[in-house]
C-alpha cells in the first residue's frame, strides 16, 4: 500500500468508499498527477503546482481545490459549508462527483496554463 491507500484505510468503511471515489476521480481526470500526502491528507500536483487535496472527517469529506477552484464554482458549491479554498461534503449526502470532476478539470487547465506562461 502507498501512503494515500494507508490514509484511506484508516477510516470507517463508509468514509473509505467516498475517499476512494474522489481519489479514483482525480486519477481519471488528471492521470499524470503526482500523488502524495501533504498537510496530513492526500495531495495531487500537476505541472509542479498543487492541483487538489481531500480529507476524511467524522461527518464530512473535505475538498481543497485552492481558492481559485472554489471561486470558479461558487454558485455550484453554494449549498455546502465552505472556507477559503475548501468545501465540506456531508457524509449523509451523495458526493457531487460530476461537480468534483469539473473542478479537477478546471484546476488541471489552470495549472497547465501557468506552466506554459
Amino acid at each position: 500500500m502507498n501512503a494515500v491507500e494507508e490514509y484511506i484505510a484508516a477510516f470507517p468503511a463508509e468514509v473509505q468508499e467516498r475517499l476512494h471515489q474522489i481519489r479514483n476521480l482525480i486519477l481519471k481526470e488528471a492521470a499524470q498527477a503526482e500523488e502524495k500526502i501533504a498537510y496530513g491528507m492526500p495531495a495531487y500536483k500537476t505541472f509542479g503546482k498543487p492541483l487538489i487535496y481531500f480529507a476524511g472527517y467524522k461527518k464530512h469529506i473535505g475538498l481543497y481545490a485552492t481558492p481559485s477552484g472554489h471561486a470558479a464554482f461558487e454558485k455550484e458549491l453554494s449549498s455546502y459549508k465552505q472556507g477559503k479554498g475548501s468545501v465540506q461534503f456531508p457524509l449523509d449526502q451523495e458526493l457531487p462527483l460530476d461537480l468534483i470532476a469539473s473542478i479537477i478539470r478546471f484546476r488541471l487547465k489552470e495549472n497547465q496554463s501557468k506552466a506554459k506562461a
Side-chain angles (χ1 to χ4, degrees), residues 48-77:
K49 305 276 185 202
L51 176 71
I52 198 163
Y53 304 78
F54 65 87
Y57 296 95
K58 191 174 186 176
K59 296 186 178 187
H60 70 275
I61 301 296
L63 186 74
Y64 309 87
T66 75
S68 66
H70 294 278
F73 294 89
E74 182 178 356
K75 181 180 176 187
E76 295 91 336
L77 293 170

Side-chain angles (χ1 to χ4, degrees), residues 91-102:
L91 292 178
D92 63 357
Q93 297 177 19
E94 290 293 317
L95 282 172
L97 295 174
D98 290 341
L99 174 57
I100 295 169
S102 294

